[in-house]
């Protein structure tokens, strides 16, 4: 996949239409802490996804692959790109809610967790508290913490 990812505005018409077509929540897109991205392959939009940043945690959300790109790894690629963005922001744990894609995200390294184990700030998001049904599975993935190299560290290359 020869892809690029670029940040988009929450009201991007193509993004909002893609969410609506998949019956995904769009009521809170413009609220603070949300970052949304368009994934393109050879200049063609293949999908979208976002992060809702809550302290040192984030909620992975609004992932949608457009129908012509399905089955070609675009969902996996969007997820990987969003996790890289989260790492760059210093996020330690990424959560998500899903009613239908738990196996996909488990294959990407997410683990199902009980709502009672999630940070209260994640549970207080509109996504977790009202937009997703209580039957949605909650999954979490820890990210490696980026640490600056100290001058005293050496490598034997």
């Amino acid at each position: 996949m020869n892809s690029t990812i670029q940040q988009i505005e929450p009201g991007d018409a193509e993004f909002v239409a893609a969410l609506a077509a998949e019956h995904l929540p769009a009521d809170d897109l413009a609220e603070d802490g949300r970052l949304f991205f368009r994934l393109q392959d050879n200049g063609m939009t293949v999908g979208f996804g976002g992060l809702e940043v809550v302290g040192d945690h984030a909620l992975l959300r609004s992932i949608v692959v457009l129908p012509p790109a399905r089955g070609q790894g675009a969902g996996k690629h969007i997820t990987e790109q969003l996790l890289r963005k989260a790492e760059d922001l210093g996020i330690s744990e990424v959560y998500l809610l899903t009613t239908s894609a738990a196996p996909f995200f488990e294959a990407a390294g997410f683990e199902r967790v009980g709502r009672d184990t999630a940070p209260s700030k994640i549970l207080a998001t509109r996504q977790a508290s009202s937009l997703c049904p209580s039957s949605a599975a909650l999954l979490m993935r820890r990210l490696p913490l980026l640490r600056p190299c100290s001058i005293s560290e050496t490598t034997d290359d």
Side-chain angles (χ1 to χ4, degrees), residues 54-136:
V54 185
D56 63 347
H57 300 91
L59 193 64
L60 191 69
R61 54 169 298 167
S62 307
I63 293 180
V64 62
V65 175
L66 300 180
R70 291 186 183 152
Q72 300 172 33
K76 180 180 176 189
H77 194 66
I78 291 169
T79 301
E80 289 169 352
Q81 292 295 319
L82 292 172
L83 292 173
R84 281 192 194 108
K85 295 283 184 190
E87 282 182 52
D88 291 346
L89 293 170
I91 301 299
S92 62
E93 295 176 341
V94 176
Y95 291 81
L96 66 90
L97 292 152
T98 182
T99 58
S100 61
F104 170 83
F105 288 107
E106 288 170 330
F110 284 83
E111 297 176 11
R112 288 180 195 245
V113 295
R115 288 184 186 241
D116 59 332
T117 67
S120 58
K121 288 183 178 183
I122 290 291
L123 297 176
T125 63
R126 284 190 59 205
Q127 191 85 1
S129 65
S130 63
L131 295 178
C132 285
S134 60
S135 60

Side-chain angles (χ1 to χ4, degrees), residues 1-99:
M1 181 172 269
N2 181 19
S3 64
T4 59
I5 189 165
Q6 61 184 218
Q7 190 168 346
I8 58 172
E9 294 296 320
D12 179 276
E14 190 179 13
F15 172 51
V16 173
L19 292 175
E22 297 302 319
H23 309 288
L24 293 172
D27 295 348
D28 66 336
L29 298 179
E31 293 179 13
D32 289 340
R34 287 140 180 89
L35 304 169
F36 297 103
F37 301 89
R38 171 191 324 272
L39 182 73
Q40 293 184 314
D41 185 32
N42 294 316
M44 301 294 294
T45 299
V46 295
F48 301 93
L51 294 168
E52 183 171 341
V53 179
V54 185
D56 63 347
H57 300 91
L59 193 64
L60 191 69
R61 54 169 298 167
S62 307
I63 293 180
V64 62
V65 175
L66 300 180
R70 291 186 183 152
Q72 300 172 33
K76 180 180 176 189
H77 194 66
I78 291 169
T79 301
E80 289 169 352
Q81 292 295 319
L82 292 172
L83 292 173
R84 281 192 194 108
K85 295 283 184 190
E87 282 182 52
D88 291 346
L89 293 170
I91 301 299
S92 62
E93 295 176 341
V94 176
Y95 291 81
L96 66 90
L97 292 152
T98 182
T99 58

